[in-house]
Amino acid sequence: MSSPSSYYVQKIFETYAKSQLTFVQNFAGQAAKQAYIECLNKSNAVEIVQPLLDDIDPEVRMNAVLGLARLAGNSKKCAKQILCTDNLLKRLLGQIACENKTYKKSCMNLIRNISKHLSCSEIIVKECDGIHAILTCMKDLDVMVREVALQAISSIAGQDPSISQLIIKSGILPQIVQSLKEERHDFKLYALSTLSEIAKHNQKLAKQIVDVHTLPNVIIFLSTDYNTDVKLQANTLLLIKNIAKHSLSLTEIVVETKLFPEILLLMAHPDESVRYNAAEVVYEVVKYSIQICKMIVTTGGIVSLLNVILKSKEYPSTPAVLALGYISSVSPLLATAVINSKILKHLTAILKSDTDDDCLKAGIAWTLEMIGQHSSKHAKSVFTCHAVSAMIDVYINTSPTHEAHHKCKSAIKVILNKSEDFSAIEKLLTPSMPIQIMLHILIKISQMLPKSFKARRNFIINGHLKMIQNLKPDINSHLDYVIKAVNCCFPDNILQMVAGEIPESVLRKLDKFVPKSQCLLDDHEVQMSNSFTNPV
C-alpha cells in the first residue's frame, strides 16, 4: 500500500501531464484558426511549445508538431521562426521513424507549409536531412502519410534544381512514378505535381523524369475515359509541358507518345483549365520543329487554337496566340493557313478591347509580325483586318515600360516594310501620329512614290503632302531627312503651291515627272532609322 505522500506526488505529476496535454491540444486547435494567429505570435508560442516536442507522452509530442504545422501554414513570421530556431526542425525530422502516422503527417505538413512561405529547400534538405525523413514517410504503410510526403517533396523540389537532383539521387523517383497507379485520386495528383516541379527546372532533370517511363504512365490520363477528371488532365498536361519545353529531343519524345490528336481534342474540352494547359503544350512543341507545325496545321490544330482564344475567360489565351505565331513564322504557306482560318479579326478585336493584359497584347503583336513578315500579300491581310491601326492605338496608349508598346512598334515596322498597298499605308498618316511610327510610314511612302504617279497624285489630293510640310522636325533629324525624301518625289512648283489649291493641269504633269528622292535615302542616318529589329 502506497503512502499518502507518494499518492500526493503522483497526483501532482498526473495533473501536470494532463495540463500539458490540454495546453498543447488547445494550442493545436487555435493554430488552425487565423483569428488566433496574431495572439499566438505575441505570446511567443513557438518558444513555449518547443520543449514539449521532446515530451515523454507521444500524444503531447504529436499535438505539438500538429500545432506548429498549422501555425506555419497560417503565418509566414511563425514559419520563419520555426525554420530559424536552432535544431528545431532537424530534431523533429530526426526522430520521425520512431513516431506514429499522425506525427509523420504533421512533420510533412510542416515542411510543406514552411516551403509555401519561404525558399527554404536547401535548409530542409541539407541541414535537417529532410530527404531521409521524406523517404521514411514514402515507405510508410499508411497511404495518407505517403500522400502528404509527396506534397512535401513537391513543395521543396520546385524551389531549386540542385534539390531536385538530390531527390532523384535518393532513388525515390520510381516510387513516385509508381504512385501514378494508385487508386486514390489525390495520390495521382500529388505524384503528377511532384514530377512536374522537378521537370520544370532544366533539360537534365526532365530527361531523368522521362527515363523512368513516366510518359507512358501519364499519357493515358489524356484519353476520353478521363474527360470528367479535370484536375487530373490539367496536371498531366502541365507535366508534359514542363518536359517538352526544354529541347527538341524531349519534344520529339513527347510527340512519339501518341500525344496527337488527343491534345487537339483537349483544346475543345469543356473546362477552361484543360484547354489552357493543352494550348501551353502545343505552344511548347511548335517552337522546336517545322514538322510538328505542319502536322498541327494538317490535323486541324489552327481551329483548335482559335477555339481556345475565343473561349478564354479566366485564363489568358496567350499560349494559343504564341503557338499561332510560331506556326506562322515557319513558312509563308503555314502563315496563309492561319490567315485563311479568319483568326486575324479575332486577334484585332482583342487588341481593340479594354483588356489590360500586357503579355497577351504583346503576344498578338508578335504573332501578327510573324504573319506579315513573309510577303506583301501577307502584310495586306494584316492591314485588311485593321490590325495595324489597332497596334498603333496600343502603342500610343501603353507606357514604354510595357512589352506590348515595343512589340507593336516592331510589328508595325516589319509589316510596313513588306506592304505594297499604298492606299492602306497612306491612311495611317494623321497629324497626331507618334513621330516614331510616322517616321517609318514616311520612309515606306518615300520608297513607293517614285514608282507610281497615281500614288503621287493621291498623296497630294488627300492632303498628306500639305500635312507633312506642317511638321517641324529638328534640322538633320531622321524625320527631317525622310520629309525631304518625300518632297523630292514632287516638282518644285507643286511644293510651292501645296499650301493652296493645285490646278488639275499641274497635277496632270506628275506622270512625266522623274523623282529623285532615292539619293536622300542612301544617307546612313536614314538607313539606320529604316532598320527593322528582329523579334525576341
Side-chain angles (χ1 to χ4, degrees):
M1 185 176 180
S2 59
S3 64
S5 58
S6 62
Y7 173 78
Y8 179 70
V9 171
Q10 185 178 354
K11 286 295 288 182
I12 291 175
F13 278 94
E14 286 178 358
T15 302
Y16 172 70
K18 287 180 180 178
S19 64
Q20 276 189 308
L21 181 58
T22 302
F23 165 76
V24 80
Q25 286 174 335
N26 287 333
F27 163 67
Q30 291 171 345
K33 299 175 182 178
Q34 192 68 44
Y36 292 107
I37 298 302
E38 188 61 33
C39 293
L40 290 172
N41 274 330
K42 292 179 180 178
S43 303
N44 298 317
V46 175
E47 294 179 14
I48 294 172
V49 172
Q50 189 177 354
L52 300 177
L53 299 172
D54 298 314
D55 196 88
I56 58 172
D57 186 346
E59 196 170 355
V60 171
R61 296 197 302 273
M62 180 187 70
N63 278 280
V65 179
L66 176 62
L68 289 177
R70 290 173 173 176
L71 199 60
N74 287 319
S75 170
K76 182 178 179 179
K77 181 179 179 181
C78 289
K80 188 174 182 179
Q81 187 179 358
I82 293 168
L83 185 67
C84 297
T85 300
D86 289 341
N87 293 323
L88 192 158
L89 191 57
K90 184 177 182 180
R91 194 165 75 249
L92 288 177
L93 300 181
Q95 61 194 39
I96 200 169
C98 306
E99 297 291 347
N100 61 28
K101 63 182 183 181
T102 305
Y103 184 96
K104 291 175 181 176
K105 284 193 291 183
S106 297
C107 281
M108 293 298 101
N109 273 322
L110 180 59
I111 291 176
R112 185 189 64 177
N113 290 340
I114 292 175
S115 302
K116 181 174 71 175
H117 297 299
L118 307 166
S119 297
C120 56
S121 56
E122 188 171 355
I123 296 174
I124 291 173
V125 171
K126 295 181 179 178
E127 297 182 18
C128 303
D129 199 15
I131 290 182
H132 178 74
I134 292 171
L135 277 171
T136 301
C137 292
M138 282 294 294
K139 294 175 183 177
D140 198 272
L141 295 176
D142 187 270
V143 67
M144 290 298 294
V145 174
R146 299 201 304 274
E147 190 176 292
V148 181
L150 271 175
Q151 295 178 55
I153 295 176
S154 179
S155 66
I156 61 174
Q159 294 183 4
D160 189 89
S162 64
I163 301 303
S164 291
Q165 190 62 58
L166 288 174
I167 291 171
I168 291 176
K169 284 183 178 179
S170 71
I172 200 174
L173 207 53
Q175 192 173 350
I176 298 174
V177 175
Q178 191 64 28
S179 301
L180 295 167
K181 300 178 181 179
E182 291 275 352
E183 289 187 9
R184 283 180 59 83
H185 176 263
D186 287 348
F187 216 92
K188 292 185 179 77
L189 289 179
Y190 295 133
L192 285 169
S193 175
T194 302
L195 293 168
S196 185
E197 289 296 320
I198 295 172
K200 75 179 184 181
H201 290 297
N202 55 49
Q203 182 179 348
K204 181 180 178 181
L205 290 170
K207 183 64 167 60
Q208 288 174 299
I209 296 290
V210 170
D211 289 343
V212 291
H213 307 292
T214 299
L215 288 173
N217 286 290
V218 302
I219 206 74
I220 57 174
F221 300 143
L222 301 182
S223 67
T224 53
D225 295 339
Y226 292 89
N227 260 5
T228 57
D229 200 330
V230 171
K231 288 185 178 180
L232 191 64
Q233 290 198 325
N235 278 273
T236 300
L237 291 166
L238 181 61
L239 170 59
I240 292 172
K241 183 204 81 168
N242 283 335
I243 292 172
K245 71 180 183 179
H246 296 293
S247 68
L248 173 59
S249 60
L250 287 172
T251 295
E252 290 175 339
I253 292 171
V254 165
V255 173
E256 287 169 4
T257 59
K258 298 181 180 178
L259 180 65
F260 293 89
E262 279 77 7
I263 193 73
L264 302 182
L265 297 175
L266 289 170
M267 286 196 286
H269 195 281
D271 185 83
E272 189 174 353
S273 65
V274 175
R275 295 198 302 270
Y276 173 81
N277 283 0
E280 282 217 304
V281 173
V282 173
Y283 159 64
E284 294 296 346
V285 300
V286 296
K287 293 192 297 186
Y288 293 107
S289 171
I290 296 175
Q291 283 69 31
I292 292 174
C293 289
K294 291 179 179 178
M295 179 184 66
I296 289 173
V297 172
T298 55
T299 54
I302 294 178
V303 176
S304 299
L305 290 166
L306 176 58
N307 181 70
V308 174
I309 294 170
L310 294 179
K311 293 185 177 180
S312 291
K313 293 179 181 177
E314 296 181 9
Y315 290 79
S317 57
T318 311
V321 169
L322 294 176
L324 289 168
Y326 277 109
I327 291 170
S328 301
S329 69
V330 168
S331 72
L333 187 63
L334 294 186
T336 300
V338 172
I339 291 170
N340 291 341
S341 68
K342 311 297 182 185
I343 205 167
L344 294 185
K345 65 178 182 180
H346 299 294
L347 298 183
T348 304
I350 297 173
L351 285 177
K352 291 181 176 180
S353 70
D354 57 358
T355 178
D356 57 355
D357 190 334
D358 177 63
C359 187
L360 175 58
K361 288 188 174 181
I364 291 174
W366 179 77
T367 296
L368 292 170
E369 180 180 339
M370 294 301 100
I371 294 170
Q373 68 177 338
H374 294 291
S375 69
S376 59
K377 185 177 178 181
H378 292 84
K380 184 175 181 179
S381 296
V382 178
F383 264 103
T384 302
C385 67
H386 307 292
V388 174
S389 58
M391 286 190 287
I392 291 174
D393 289 339
V394 173
Y395 176 84
I396 293 171
N397 296 320
T398 55
S399 165
T401 59
H402 288 84
E403 187 68 14
H405 182 88
H406 302 286
K407 287 292 185 230
C408 284
K409 181 181 178 181
S410 173
I412 292 164
K413 289 194 292 183
V414 169
I415 295 164
L416 280 172
N417 190 43
K418 284 293 179 182
S419 179
E420 296 298 332
D421 188 343
F422 184 84
S423 176
I425 297 173
E426 187 188 18
K427 287 177 182 177
L428 298 177
L429 277 179
T430 62
S432 60
M433 181 65 62
I435 296 299
Q436 295 85 346
I437 302 298
M438 182 177 288
L439 176 69
H440 295 284
I441 295 172
L442 291 176
I443 287 174
K444 184 63 181 179
I445 286 175
S446 69
Q447 294 168 350
M448 299 176 76
L449 285 173
K451 302 173 185 178
S452 170
F453 78 90
K454 184 179 179 181
R456 296 196 293 273
R457 171 186 278 266
N458 288 338
F459 198 70
I460 296 171
I461 293 173
N462 294 332
H464 291 125
L465 182 61
K466 179 180 179 181
M467 186 200 82
I468 65 172
Q469 308 311 312
N470 295 327
L471 300 176
K472 304 298 180 184
D474 294 336
I475 301 298
N476 295 330
S477 66
H478 289 160
L479 184 59
D480 183 45
Y481 273 100
V482 175
I483 292 174
K484 289 177 180 177
V486 173
N487 288 343
C488 284
C489 297
F490 299 92
D492 291 338
N493 63 328
I494 286 183
L495 292 174
Q496 293 168 3
M497 300 168 64
V498 74
E501 291 292 330
I502 300 177
E504 179 64 27
S505 58
V506 176
L507 292 176
R508 279 199 295 267
K509 296 180 181 179
L510 275 175
D511 60 333
K512 298 178 182 178
F513 177 72
V514 180
K516 54 182 185 297
S517 67
Q518 293 306 307
C519 61
L520 287 173
L521 287 178
D522 289 336
D523 185 274
H524 175 70
E525 288 190 82
V526 176
Q527 288 181 353
M528 288 291 291
S529 70
N530 195 27
S531 63
F532 294 91
T533 58
N534 292 322
V536 177

